[in-house]
Every structure is written in C-alpha cells, then in structure tokens.
Amino acid sequence: MTLSTVEIESKASVPPRAKMPLTVKDFKGKAEPDWCPGCGDFGVLVALKQALAELGIQPHQAMVISGIGCSSNLPGYISTYGMHTLHGRALSVATGAQMANHELKIIVTGGDGDGYGIGGNHFVHSMRRNVDLTYIVMNNQIYGLTTGQLSPTSTKGMKTKSTPAGSVENPIHPIPLAIAAGATYVARAYTGQVKHMVELIKGGIQHRGFSLIDAFSPCVTFNLENDHDFFKQRTFKLEDKKHDPTDFAAAMKYGYEWGDEIAIGLFWKRDDLPALDQLEPVLDEGGPLARRRLGIAPEAARSLVRELM
C-alpha cells in the first residue's frame, strides 16, 4: 500500500513527540530564569507550563508574548513561539498575532507596571474588543526591574524609592476594571497556590475571548510589605464561598475588597459574547491569514517587505 502525497505531508507535519503525553519538561526553555530566589514569577512559569501540558497544547501551537520588566522575560524561559516586545505594548503585538493566526493559543505575560501603567490604554481596549488572548499579569505592586518604584497597584501609603514619604495615590483595582471594560474571563491567582493557578490558567486558555489572570507575585527584593506571608494570611478561594462567576455585583464586590481577606479564583465569566476574530467574516470563515496564499506575485511581496523594513 502506498501513501498519497497529502498523507505523507500530513504525517510529516506532526512531530513525533506529539503522540506522547506532554509534561512540564516539554516546555523547558533554552535559558534559565534570572529572577531573584523566592520571586513569585517562578510559580507562574511552572503553572503555565503545567497548564499547557495538561491541555495537550503542543509547543508549536502556543505563543507567549511579553513587554518589558522582570516578569516580561518569561517568553525566554518557555519552549513555545514567543516575542519579547516593547514596554506596555505586548497586547498590541498579541492582537496582531491573534488576527494573523487565530488557531494559535496566544498567552501574554507581564507585570503590573507594564500592563496596568505603561500599557493601560491597550489593556482597556483589548478587553473592550474581546480579543481571544490569555493575559497573565504578575502583580507584585512595585516596579521591580527599575529597582523599586511605585506602581499602579501599590497600596496607598507605601514607601518606595519614588515615594519615600509614602504614596498619596489610590491604587487601581484590576479585577473590577477588567469586568467593567469588557473582559469575559476574569480571575486572580496567588503564586503560592500553584495548583489553583494552573486551573485558572487552563480555564483562561480554553475560554474564547479576553481572559485576565491577575497573579499576586510577591517581589521579595523591593516590596517587603506585600510578601508571601501577607498573602498566605489573607487570601481565600472564591470556590470555597460558592461564588457564582456570572453574578456581576458579587464579582465587583469581591474584586474591590482589600484587607484582612483578599479573594482569589474566578470572579467573572460570560460566554455569550463572540471574540473579535469571530466578528470579522474574513477571519471567521477563511481560516488563519498566515496560512493563506498571498494573492500577489512573489516579487511584489518582496518589494513591499523591503519597503517596510
């Protein structure tokens, strides 16, 4: 029996490893993390690898995109497609990647300064558009890479290098902001609860639309107020409260709370809104743009590339 050309190409396109169960080791990057010992970002890296492995997503089926910051180095520490982009612009690049190939699982990683400060405008409009992305924000309430300045989520009164007398600013609340802006999957994790975080990330990746996982990721070097002990003593799981993630009022209430009890888990989810690529007929009906024939002569394409470069 002979194989057709199509069958040969089909078999050749599937990596031998694809038929075996995936493990965290399959997503090991070529570089080793250079984060400070004890940094919460290690927990996010492990949880993301575990989530991809458990979902059976092959490394070539995922792409991790980041901006600038300690946590934004993550794409170099995981074996998937990846891009390390500009400060606060990761969601813009990720939107372009998702529009070009909406069959890829696009995960965006970054910090609270990168995502909620420098990239705040892109954050709001990516949620408004309900772009099919999973955004994991490692929220340490400080600018870590630039050695300890006030960030958008720093608590009022916090003393940092940029606020030596204590911050007079009110922090933003990412959870209610995301819900109000239009995100359709809104969760919060704590990096000291890795198994719980794995499930939240899996849910975000599987969700069709914009998914936010705000992850408390203590900075053990520059934020000694909101450390691991702080979150261990205060965080509780919404699942234990039997929270209904379709209850808008309850989700907003839990999202605003900050004190002796701080909620983690799935705050909000809705499946009735289509993702952006589903609303665009060219994308919804024709498959990924990246896999279509260009439609113009090769020389014309090369000329355009040369002009743009």
Side-chain angles (χ1 to χ4, degrees):
M1 184 177 72
T2 59
L3 294 174
S4 68
T5 302
V6 173
E7 289 174 320
I8 292 172
E9 290 179 350
S10 176
K11 290 178 181 293
S13 65
V14 179
R17 188 69 184 82
K19 298 181 180 180
M20 300 171 63
L22 290 166
T23 69
V24 169
K25 292 181 180 179
D26 292 301
F27 294 93
K28 180 176 173 56
K30 293 182 178 180
E32 292 295 329
D34 61 356
W35 296 316
C36 301
C39 175
D41 294 358
F42 285 101
V44 173
L45 178 61
V46 171
L48 177 56
K49 290 178 179 179
Q50 187 66 44
L52 291 169
E54 290 185 14
L55 290 174
I57 297 172
Q58 299 291 328
H60 69 278
Q61 296 173 325
M63 184 175 194
V64 181
I65 297 173
S66 72
I68 298 297
C70 295
S71 51
S72 290
N73 287 333
L74 192 144
Y77 308 144
I78 188 169
S79 180
T80 63
Y81 290 118
M83 291 184 70
H84 193 174
T85 69
L86 301 175
H87 209 353
R89 303 299 180 260
L91 287 173
S92 300
V93 176
T95 297
Q98 204 277 335
M99 292 292 102
N101 186 353
H102 51 282
E103 289 184 356
L104 270 177
K105 293 296 183 182
I106 309 289
I107 298 106
V108 185
T109 61
D112 46 299
D114 183 67
Y116 303 146
I118 309 298
N121 183 54
H122 299 291
F123 179 56
V124 170
H125 291 290
S126 298
M127 293 185 290
R128 175 181 67 82
R129 295 175 177 130
N130 199 28
V131 186
D132 188 18
L133 305 170
T134 302
Y135 191 21
I136 305 172
V137 179
M138 282 152 269
N139 185 354
N140 57 20
Q141 301 164 284
I142 203 82
Y143 274 98
L145 187 65
T146 49
T147 68
Q149 295 81 17
L150 190 76
S151 91
T153 54
S154 298
T155 54
K156 196 170 185 177
M158 181 181 284
K159 294 183 179 181
T160 72
K161 287 185 177 181
S162 59
T163 56
S167 171
V168 298
E169 300 177 6
N170 292 310
I172 68 165
H173 296 274
I175 299 300
L177 172 61
I179 295 171
T184 48
Y185 181 101
V186 182
R188 179 193 280 152
Y190 163 47
T191 56
Q193 298 271 1
V194 174
K195 289 184 179 179
H196 184 239
M197 184 163 44
V198 168
E199 295 306 313
L200 294 174
I201 293 174
K202 284 167 60 178
I205 292 173
Q206 291 175 306
H207 177 72
R208 198 76 162 87
F210 191 98
S211 301
L212 170 70
I213 295 103
D214 180 69
F216 289 137
S217 182
C219 175
V220 296
T221 302
F222 297 111
N223 184 353
L224 303 182
E225 293 184 25
N226 307 121
D227 57 10
H228 283 285
D229 286 337
F230 176 90
F231 290 112
K232 286 177 182 177
Q233 294 168 14
R234 289 169 174 79
T235 52
F236 70 89
K237 297 175 182 176
L238 286 170
E239 299 90 323
D240 295 339
K241 299 280 188 178
K242 300 190 184 306
H243 169 63
D244 177 4
T246 65
D247 186 335
F248 177 85
M252 295 293 276
K253 171 181 172 291
Y254 280 126
Y256 270 112
E257 288 179 352
W258 184 270
D260 293 336
E261 289 193 333
I262 302 171
I264 59 174
L266 179 59
F267 289 77
W268 175 248
K269 183 181 179 183
R270 59 184 299 183
D271 297 309
D272 58 319
L273 292 180
L276 180 61
D277 61 89
Q278 293 176 298
L279 295 171
E280 172 51 67
V282 172
L283 298 176
D284 189 39
E285 299 170 8
L289 294 174
R291 296 180 183 172
R292 299 189 205 177
R293 292 186 180 277
L294 197 55
I296 61 175
E299 182 50 43
R302 285 192 288 270
S303 175
L304 285 171
V305 171
R306 284 194 297 270
E307 183 179 344
L308 292 172
M309 295 294 284

